[in-house]
Amino acid sequence: DETFEAYPALDTPSGERHPDLYREIVAQAAPGDLVVVAVPDNLHDEMIRFALEHDQHVLTVKPLVQTAEQGRRIAEIARERGLFVGVEYHKRFDRRALESRHLYRAGRFGEFRLGEAKMIEAYGYRHSNFQNWFTPDVSDPFTYVGCHYVDLVHFITGLEPVEVSVRGVLGRFPNGNEGYMWATGRVVWENDAILTVSDGLGYPDRAAGTNDQGLIMYCEGDDTAAVIRHDDQYRGVEYGYIDDSSGAHFKYINPDYFRLVPWHGQGLRPVGYGYDSVEALVESAIRVRDAGDIQQRRATIEEIDRQGLIATPTNSEFNERVTEAARKSIAENGTPVVLETK
């Protein structure tokens, strides 16, 4: 029994463009509301700052912004106004990641030394709106999806990245625009551990999985070794359908990410770490809004920062430094870039 108003209206001709309509809508919103920023990476900075300048809390898809300076400026504006800004790194809310974080920080795995991660998204991305904006000057697979695993390694271990190198493979979208279709990056951490991350827009659309993704981390203890392995594509659920409306007759299903399922109430209930992440971010914005005066709101934001479960401009600023360094590196065909210090 829920609905929404669309601006522009859903029956607006597809050729019409309204690039500044968000400004009008946000400016009319009551102070202390929530703006969700889910647009191409290069538009985040101006939209987030516009929302903050109009006293709105913000939930944004990752990465927050593309440079460390942009991130610092957003953090400063948010603190000045006592507003919450949360970044939707949903892998943090996967129970696998929460368990790994808990055990790693309890000393059960020793010290992270070497790791590999991959996130290969569907080939169909090339036929989507990506072909209109995912150009070499704007983004690449490492910074767009690989950032999930860079964030996750920090989330689990608490380690800070210190150096990044990224090499990309160029191709063309169906509309003729050029873009990085594949990329691989190497991230060096403060303890000299190394993580390689492979990403792309090229998983077969009709294959059993909708993508191919996972993480493995090798660790060391006192005269012993340990390992953390997450297969984030295969969750042990396989469906064979009588039709191919899901893209293929046979699919691996991830019920842990986002599904609408029957429950004891009305309608269907959203479940999974994708939903849990958004729910936690929205609840955090409500918590800050209801905290009281600006000093109390600032104190609540600082408490969220310290806990470190939800990504904010303050506690995940390393992601912006990685993004900025990665963009420099890929433009220089993989030249290593030392991250800017805090």
Side-chain angles (χ1 to χ4, degrees):
D1 298 325
E2 298 291 341
T3 186
F4 63 92
E5 293 184 48
Y7 297 93
L10 296 179
D11 59 359
T12 301
S14 61
E16 290 188 15
R17 297 289 181 266
H18 303 271
D20 293 319
L21 183 57
Y22 80 91
R23 295 176 180 271
E24 178 183 336
I25 303 304
V26 171
Q28 294 174 355
D33 210 330
L34 178 68
V35 169
V36 178
V37 177
V39 296
D41 301 351
N42 57 318
L43 302 179
H44 287 196
D45 182 50
E46 63 179 273
M47 286 190 170
I48 292 170
R49 284 190 291 108
F50 186 86
L52 293 174
E53 289 161 2
H54 287 79
D55 292 315
Q56 302 296 311
H57 302 286
V58 175
L59 186 167
T60 180
V61 295
K62 51 74 204 152
L64 173 66
V65 283
Q66 295 184 304
T67 71
E69 177 56 34
Q70 289 173 338
R72 283 192 291 266
R73 182 167 50 192
I74 285 171
E76 290 169 0
I77 297 173
R79 172 173 170 71
E80 178 184 335
R81 294 173 176 264
L83 296 169
F84 172 77
V85 177
V87 191
E88 208 277 309
Y89 282 102
H90 49 253
K91 286 189 178 297
R92 292 180 172 217
F93 283 81
D94 188 342
R95 286 170 177 79
R96 302 179 185 201
L98 290 166
E99 175 77 350
S100 298
R101 173 188 171 98
H102 176 65
L103 294 178
Y104 186 97
R105 297 187 183 216
R108 297 292 304 281
F109 296 111
E111 185 177 14
F112 170 56
R113 303 305 294 159
L114 185 73
E116 298 178 4
K118 62 180 175 180
M119 185 179 285
I120 312 299
E121 295 290 11
Y123 188 94
Y125 272 51
R126 304 188 188 195
H127 289 274
S128 71
N129 187 49
F130 270 65
Q131 62 185 317
N132 295 318
W133 71 270
F134 202 76
T135 50
D137 60 314
V138 173
S139 192
D140 61 84
F142 176 87
T143 56
Y144 184 74
V145 291
C147 64
H148 269 303
Y149 282 113
V150 176
D151 179 78
L152 192 57
V153 168
H154 167 84
F155 181 73
I156 292 171
T157 67
L159 293 169
E160 293 277 336
V162 297
E163 181 184 291
V164 176
S165 58
V166 182
R167 185 70 184 256
V169 180
L170 289 168
R172 291 200 177 274
F173 289 102
N175 66 358
N177 282 342
E178 190 176 49
Y180 288 113
M181 303 301 171
W182 308 91
T184 187
R186 185 185 71 175
V187 182
V188 180
W189 301 80
E190 60 183 305
N191 67 339
D192 293 329
I194 301 171
L195 174 74
T196 60
V197 188
S198 298
D199 307 287
L201 311 180
Y203 188 78
D205 292 330
R206 298 188 66 80
T210 54
N211 54 40
D212 190 4
Q213 55 178 299
L215 169 70
I216 184 166
M217 299 169 60
Y218 294 100
C219 308
E220 292 178 343
D222 293 333
D223 196 30
T224 189
V227 64
I228 300 170
R229 183 191 294 270
H230 291 176
D231 185 338
D232 290 329
Q233 174 193 16
Y234 181 62
R235 298 273 168 157
V237 182
E238 303 173 2
Y239 285 168
Y241 305 99
I242 62 171
D243 56 49
D244 62 356
S245 60
S246 294
H249 283 271
F250 178 82
K251 281 288 187 181
Y252 296 138
I253 303 301
N254 181 358
D256 302 327
Y257 173 54
F258 186 92
R259 281 292 186 272
L260 295 171
V261 299
W263 66 306
H264 57 270
Q266 294 183 349
L268 298 175
R269 180 179 182 177
V271 298
Y273 60 84
Y275 173 76
D276 292 342
S277 174
V278 173
E279 180 185 53
L281 289 160
V282 173
E283 288 179 343
S284 295
I286 294 172
R287 178 182 167 195
V288 172
R289 181 199 65 186
D290 295 344
D293 62 26
I294 190 168
Q295 295 301 331
Q296 293 169 314
R297 296 201 305 273
R298 286 173 179 169
T300 302
I301 293 170
E302 290 171 1
E303 184 179 344
I304 293 170
D305 288 338
R306 284 193 300 272
Q307 185 182 29
L309 294 181
I310 290 171
T312 69
T314 299
N315 68 23
S316 71
E317 55 80 32
F318 66 91
N319 279 315
E320 279 61 67
R321 292 187 284 119
V322 168
T323 296
E324 185 171 6
R327 296 297 300 148
K328 291 178 181 177
S329 178
I330 199 170
E332 298 175 1
N333 292 321
T335 300
V337 177
V338 176
L339 268 62
E340 174 189 328
T341 57
K342 290 184 181 179

